[in-house]
Amino acid sequence: LVHALGKPWSVWQAQHLFFVAKFTSCIEYLPGASNAVADVLSRDFQAAMAVYVPNTISIDVFAQEQSKCSKVRQLLQSTSLKIASRNLPSGLTLFTDLSTANPRILVTRSLCD
């Protein structure tokens, strides 16, 4: 985008900048201890189950929020994801996506806000 501020744009440049502008968003750095969701998601499933950092979200909270979320219920019916369920020691069920090389926990909107 540095070049966009200089010379007049060509039609291609204007179209490209318009297209890119639709996808830009505010990206904010949060240091490790303040970013519990990213920390858990960056780990493999076994490590995520074992992680404990004070003042962060427990794996049981993920499972509780998933059980209340209508979007998670929709994703369970999805054919584009490989959803697996894991029974936690607490008796709750945690849903993860196995469609990539590393399992990813389904994070609800309520945990992102």
Side-chain angles (χ1 to χ4, degrees), residues 73-112:
R73 286 192 291 276
Q74 290 174 351
L75 289 173
L76 293 175
Q77 306 303 317
S78 172
T79 57
S80 63
L81 299 176
K82 291 181 184 175
I83 304 294
S85 61
R86 307 280 182 164
N87 294 322
L88 302 176
S90 63
L92 296 168
T93 302
L94 181 72
F95 296 104
T96 56
D97 174 23
L98 303 177
S99 60
T100 62
N102 296 317
R104 299 289 182 202
I105 297 170
L106 300 181
V107 180
T108 63
R109 171 70 64 192
S110 61
L111 294 175
C112 294

Short mmCIF file of all heavy atoms in Angstrom, two decimals, residues 73-112:
data_model
loop_
_atom_site.label_atom_id
_atom_site.label_comp_id
_atom_site.label_asym_id
_atom_site.label_seq_id
_atom_site.Cartn_x
_atom_site.Cartn_y
_atom_site.Cartn_z
N ARG A 73 -23.25 -26.21 16.92
CA ARG A 73 -24.20 -27.25 16.49
C ARG A 73 -24.29 -27.30 14.96
O ARG A 73 -24.37 -28.37 14.37
CB ARG A 73 -25.57 -27.02 17.12
CG ARG A 73 -25.61 -27.38 18.59
CD ARG A 73 -27.03 -27.44 19.14
NE ARG A 73 -27.66 -26.13 19.21
CZ ARG A 73 -27.52 -25.27 20.22
NH1 ARG A 73 -26.75 -25.57 21.22
NH2 ARG A 73 -28.14 -24.11 20.21
N GLN A 74 -24.23 -26.13 14.31
CA GLN A 74 -24.23 -26.10 12.84
C GLN A 74 -22.95 -26.72 12.29
O GLN A 74 -22.98 -27.48 11.32
CB GLN A 74 -24.34 -24.66 12.33
CG GLN A 74 -25.69 -24.04 12.55
CD GLN A 74 -25.70 -22.56 12.14
OE1 GLN A 74 -24.65 -21.98 11.86
NE2 GLN A 74 -26.87 -21.97 12.13
N LEU A 75 -21.81 -26.39 12.91
CA LEU A 75 -20.53 -26.93 12.44
C LEU A 75 -20.47 -28.45 12.59
O LEU A 75 -19.80 -29.12 11.80
CB LEU A 75 -19.38 -26.28 13.19
CG LEU A 75 -19.11 -24.82 12.86
CD1 LEU A 75 -18.04 -24.25 13.79
CD2 LEU A 75 -18.67 -24.66 11.41
N LEU A 76 -21.16 -28.98 13.58
CA LEU A 76 -21.17 -30.44 13.76
C LEU A 76 -21.81 -31.14 12.57
O LEU A 76 -21.51 -32.30 12.29
CB LEU A 76 -21.92 -30.81 15.05
CG LEU A 76 -21.24 -30.38 16.34
CD1 LEU A 76 -22.13 -30.71 17.53
CD2 LEU A 76 -19.89 -31.01 16.50
N GLN A 77 -22.67 -30.43 11.84
CA GLN A 77 -23.33 -30.99 10.66
C GLN A 77 -22.54 -30.73 9.38
O GLN A 77 -22.89 -31.23 8.32
CB GLN A 77 -24.75 -30.39 10.51
CG GLN A 77 -25.63 -30.53 11.74
CD GLN A 77 -25.78 -31.98 12.18
OE1 GLN A 77 -25.97 -32.85 11.37
NE2 GLN A 77 -25.67 -32.21 13.48
N SER A 78 -21.47 -29.97 9.47
CA SER A 78 -20.69 -29.56 8.31
C SER A 78 -19.99 -30.76 7.67
O SER A 78 -19.48 -31.64 8.37
CB SER A 78 -19.65 -28.52 8.72
OG SER A 78 -18.77 -28.27 7.65
N THR A 79 -19.95 -30.76 6.35
CA THR A 79 -19.21 -31.81 5.64
C THR A 79 -17.81 -31.33 5.27
O THR A 79 -16.98 -32.13 4.84
CB THR A 79 -19.96 -32.23 4.36
OG1 THR A 79 -20.16 -31.06 3.55
CG2 THR A 79 -21.30 -32.86 4.69
N SER A 80 -17.52 -30.04 5.44
CA SER A 80 -16.21 -29.51 5.08
C SER A 80 -15.20 -29.63 6.22
O SER A 80 -14.00 -29.48 6.01
CB SER A 80 -16.32 -28.05 4.64
OG SER A 80 -16.79 -27.27 5.71
N LEU A 81 -15.67 -29.91 7.42
CA LEU A 81 -14.79 -30.08 8.58
C LEU A 81 -14.86 -31.52 9.07
O LEU A 81 -15.87 -32.19 8.90
CB LEU A 81 -15.21 -29.15 9.72
CG LEU A 81 -15.19 -27.65 9.44
CD1 LEU A 81 -15.74 -26.90 10.65
CD2 LEU A 81 -13.79 -27.17 9.12
N LYS A 82 -13.78 -31.96 9.70
CA LYS A 82 -13.78 -33.27 10.37
C LYS A 82 -13.84 -32.98 11.86
O LYS A 82 -12.83 -32.70 12.49
CB LYS A 82 -12.51 -34.04 10.06
CG LYS A 82 -12.38 -34.51 8.64
CD LYS A 82 -11.08 -35.28 8.50
CE LYS A 82 -10.86 -35.70 7.07
NZ LYS A 82 -9.54 -36.35 6.91
N ILE A 83 -15.04 -33.03 12.42
CA ILE A 83 -15.22 -32.71 13.83
C ILE A 83 -15.12 -33.98 14.66
O ILE A 83 -15.75 -34.98 14.35
CB ILE A 83 -16.59 -32.04 14.07
CG1 ILE A 83 -16.76 -30.79 13.20
CG2 ILE A 83 -16.77 -31.71 15.55
CD1 ILE A 83 -15.83 -29.66 13.51
N ALA A 84 -14.29 -33.91 15.69
CA ALA A 84 -14.16 -35.03 16.61
C ALA A 84 -14.58 -34.56 18.00
O ALA A 84 -14.42 -33.39 18.34
CB ALA A 84 -12.71 -35.51 16.65
N SER A 85 -15.12 -35.47 18.76
CA SER A 85 -15.50 -35.13 20.14
C SER A 85 -14.56 -35.86 21.09
O SER A 85 -14.15 -36.98 20.85
CB SER A 85 -16.96 -35.51 20.41
OG SER A 85 -17.14 -36.90 20.25
N ARG A 86 -14.22 -35.16 22.16
CA ARG A 86 -13.35 -35.72 23.20
C ARG A 86 -14.08 -35.61 24.53
O ARG A 86 -14.54 -34.53 24.89
CB ARG A 86 -12.04 -34.94 23.31
CG ARG A 86 -11.30 -34.77 22.03
CD ARG A 86 -10.52 -35.98 21.69
NE ARG A 86 -9.77 -35.73 20.46
CZ ARG A 86 -8.79 -36.46 20.06
NH1 ARG A 86 -8.42 -37.50 20.73
NH2 ARG A 86 -8.18 -36.18 18.93
N ASN A 87 -14.17 -36.72 25.24
CA ASN A 87 -14.77 -36.69 26.56
C ASN A 87 -13.71 -36.25 27.56
O ASN A 87 -12.64 -36.85 27.64
CB ASN A 87 -15.34 -38.06 26.94
CG ASN A 87 -16.51 -38.43 26.04
OD1 ASN A 87 -17.31 -37.57 25.69
ND2 ASN A 87 -16.59 -39.68 25.66
N LEU A 88 -14.03 -35.21 28.30
CA LEU A 88 -13.10 -34.67 29.29
C LEU A 88 -13.32 -35.34 30.64
O LEU A 88 -14.40 -35.88 30.89
CB LEU A 88 -13.31 -33.16 29.43
CG LEU A 88 -13.14 -32.33 28.15
CD1 LEU A 88 -13.47 -30.87 28.41
CD2 LEU A 88 -11.74 -32.49 27.59
N PRO A 89 -12.33 -35.33 31.51
CA PRO A 89 -12.48 -35.92 32.85
C PRO A 89 -13.66 -35.34 33.63
O PRO A 89 -14.25 -36.01 34.47
CB PRO A 89 -11.16 -35.60 33.54
CG PRO A 89 -10.17 -35.43 32.44
CD PRO A 89 -10.96 -34.85 31.29
N SER A 90 -14.03 -34.10 33.31
CA SER A 90 -15.15 -33.45 34.00
C SER A 90 -16.50 -33.99 33.55
O SER A 90 -17.53 -33.63 34.11
CB SER A 90 -15.11 -31.95 33.75
OG SER A 90 -15.27 -31.70 32.36
N GLY A 91 -16.51 -34.81 32.50
CA GLY A 91 -17.77 -35.33 31.95
C GLY A 91 -18.29 -34.50 30.79
O GLY A 91 -19.25 -34.89 30.13
N LEU A 92 -17.66 -33.37 30.51
CA LEU A 92 -18.05 -32.53 29.39
C LEU A 92 -17.45 -33.07 28.09
O LEU A 92 -16.50 -33.85 28.12
CB LEU A 92 -17.58 -31.09 29.61
CG LEU A 92 -18.19 -30.37 30.81
CD1 LEU A 92 -17.43 -29.09 31.10
CD2 LEU A 92 -19.65 -30.09 30.57
N THR A 93 -18.00 -32.64 26.97
CA THR A 93 -17.50 -33.03 25.66
C THR A 93 -16.90 -31.83 24.97
O THR A 93 -17.52 -30.78 24.88
CB THR A 93 -18.64 -33.61 24.79
OG1 THR A 93 -19.20 -34.72 25.48
CG2 THR A 93 -18.12 -34.06 23.44
N LEU A 94 -15.67 -31.98 24.48
CA LEU A 94 -14.97 -30.93 23.76
C LEU A 94 -14.92 -31.30 22.29
O LEU A 94 -14.58 -32.43 21.93
CB LEU A 94 -13.55 -30.78 24.30
CG LEU A 94 -12.71 -29.69 23.64
CD1 LEU A 94 -13.21 -28.31 24.06
CD2 LEU A 94 -11.25 -29.85 24.00
N PHE A 95 -15.27 -30.35 21.41
CA PHE A 95 -15.26 -30.59 19.97
C PHE A 95 -14.03 -29.95 19.35
O PHE A 95 -13.70 -28.80 19.64
CB PHE A 95 -16.53 -30.04 19.31
CG PHE A 95 -17.77 -30.74 19.78
CD1 PHE A 95 -18.62 -30.14 20.68
CD2 PHE A 95 -18.06 -32.02 19.34
CE1 PHE A 95 -19.75 -30.78 21.13
CE2 PHE A 95 -19.20 -32.68 19.78
CZ PHE A 95 -20.04 -32.06 20.67
N THR A 96 -13.35 -30.71 18.49
CA THR A 96 -12.17 -30.23 17.80
C THR A 96 -12.32 -30.50 16.31
O THR A 96 -13.02 -31.42 15.90
CB THR A 96 -10.89 -30.91 18.31
OG1 THR A 96 -11.04 -32.32 18.16
CG2 THR A 96 -10.62 -30.58 19.76
N ASP A 97 -11.64 -29.69 15.52
CA ASP A 97 -11.62 -29.87 14.06
C ASP A 97 -10.33 -30.60 13.69
O ASP A 97 -9.24 -30.15 14.01
CB ASP A 97 -11.69 -28.50 13.37
CG ASP A 97 -11.52 -28.60 11.87
OD1 ASP A 97 -11.77 -29.68 11.30
OD2 ASP A 97 -11.12 -27.59 11.26
N LEU A 98 -10.46 -31.73 13.00
CA LEU A 98 -9.31 -32.53 12.60
C LEU A 98 -9.02 -32.42 11.12
O LEU A 98 -8.29 -33.24 10.56
CB LEU A 98 -9.56 -34.00 12.96
CG LEU A 98 -9.85 -34.31 14.43
CD1 LEU A 98 -10.13 -35.79 14.60
CD2 LEU A 98 -8.71 -33.86 15.31
N SER A 99 -9.57 -31.41 10.44
CA SER A 99 -9.40 -31.31 8.99
C SER A 99 -8.03 -30.78 8.58
O SER A 99 -7.69 -30.79 7.41
CB SER A 99 -10.51 -30.45 8.37
OG SER A 99 -10.49 -29.15 8.90
N THR A 100 -7.22 -30.33 9.54
CA THR A 100 -5.86 -29.90 9.25
C THR A 100 -4.88 -30.84 9.97
O THR A 100 -5.31 -31.72 10.72
CB THR A 100 -5.62 -28.45 9.72
OG1 THR A 100 -5.79 -28.39 11.14
CG2 THR A 100 -6.56 -27.48 9.04
N ALA A 101 -3.61 -30.61 9.78
CA ALA A 101 -2.61 -31.49 10.39
C ALA A 101 -2.66 -31.43 11.92
O ALA A 101 -2.38 -32.42 12.59
CB ALA A 101 -1.22 -31.10 9.90
N ASN A 102 -3.00 -30.28 12.47
CA ASN A 102 -3.08 -30.13 13.93
C ASN A 102 -4.53 -29.95 14.34
O ASN A 102 -5.22 -29.07 13.83
CB ASN A 102 -2.28 -28.91 14.39
CG ASN A 102 -0.81 -29.05 14.12
OD1 ASN A 102 -0.25 -30.10 14.34
ND2 ASN A 102 -0.20 -28.00 13.62
N PRO A 103 -5.01 -30.74 15.29
CA PRO A 103 -6.39 -30.57 15.77
C PRO A 103 -6.58 -29.16 16.33
O PRO A 103 -5.69 -28.62 16.98
CB PRO A 103 -6.53 -31.61 16.88
CG PRO A 103 -5.45 -32.60 16.60
CD PRO A 103 -4.33 -31.84 15.96
N ARG A 104 -7.74 -28.58 16.06
CA ARG A 104 -8.05 -27.23 16.54
C ARG A 104 -9.37 -27.25 17.31
O ARG A 104 -10.37 -27.80 16.84
CB ARG A 104 -8.18 -26.24 15.37
CG ARG A 104 -6.93 -26.10 14.55
CD ARG A 104 -5.89 -25.37 15.34
NE ARG A 104 -4.68 -25.19 14.53
CZ ARG A 104 -3.50 -24.98 15.05
NH1 ARG A 104 -3.36 -24.92 16.35
NH2 ARG A 104 -2.46 -24.83 14.29
N ILE A 105 -9.37 -26.64 18.47
CA ILE A 105 -10.59 -26.54 19.28
C ILE A 105 -11.54 -25.54 18.62
O ILE A 105 -11.11 -24.50 18.14
CB ILE A 105 -10.24 -26.07 20.70
CG1 ILE A 105 -9.34 -27.11 21.38
CG2 ILE A 105 -11.49 -25.82 21.51
CD1 ILE A 105 -8.74 -26.63 22.70
N LEU A 106 -12.82 -25.86 18.58
CA LEU A 106 -13.82 -24.92 18.07
C LEU A 106 -14.03 -23.84 19.15
O LEU A 106 -14.47 -24.13 20.24
CB LEU A 106 -15.14 -25.63 17.78
CG LEU A 106 -15.08 -26.76 16.75
CD1 LEU A 106 -16.47 -27.36 16.54
CD2 LEU A 106 -14.52 -26.27 15.43
N VAL A 107 -13.68 -22.61 18.81
CA VAL A 107 -13.78 -21.51 19.75
C VAL A 107 -15.07 -20.74 19.47
O VAL A 107 -15.32 -20.32 18.35
CB VAL A 107 -12.57 -20.55 19.63
CG1 VAL A 107 -12.69 -19.40 20.61
CG2 VAL A 107 -11.28 -21.32 19.84
N THR A 108 -15.87 -20.56 20.49
CA THR A 108 -17.14 -19.86 20.33
C THR A 108 -16.93 -18.35 20.36
O THR A 108 -15.94 -17.86 20.90
CB THR A 108 -18.13 -20.24 21.44
OG1 THR A 108 -17.58 -19.84 22.69
CG2 THR A 108 -18.40 -21.74 21.45
N ARG A 109 -17.87 -17.62 19.79
CA ARG A 109 -17.80 -16.16 19.76
C ARG A 109 -17.74 -15.60 21.18
O ARG A 109 -17.04 -14.64 21.46
CB ARG A 109 -19.02 -15.62 19.01
CG ARG A 109 -19.21 -14.11 19.08
CD ARG A 109 -18.19 -13.33 18.33
NE ARG A 109 -18.28 -13.60 16.91
CZ ARG A 109 -17.36 -13.22 16.04
NH1 ARG A 109 -16.31 -12.56 16.44
NH2 ARG A 109 -17.48 -13.51 14.78
N SER A 110 -18.44 -16.23 22.11
CA SER A 110 -18.48 -15.74 23.49
C SER A 110 -17.08 -15.72 24.14
O SER A 110 -16.82 -14.92 25.02
CB SER A 110 -19.43 -16.58 24.34
OG SER A 110 -18.99 -17.93 24.38
N LEU A 111 -16.19 -16.59 23.70
CA LEU A 111 -14.84 -16.63 24.26
C LEU A 111 -13.91 -15.65 23.55
O LEU A 111 -12.82 -15.38 24.04
CB LEU A 111 -14.27 -18.04 24.18
CG LEU A 111 -14.97 -19.07 25.05
CD1 LEU A 111 -14.40 -20.46 24.79
CD2 LEU A 111 -14.84 -18.71 26.51
N CYS A 112 -14.32 -15.15 22.41
CA CYS A 112 -13.48 -14.20 21.66
C CYS A 112 -13.75 -12.77 22.09
O CYS A 112 -12.92 -11.90 21.87
CB CYS A 112 -13.74 -14.33 20.16
SG CYS A 112 -13.22 -15.92 19.51
#
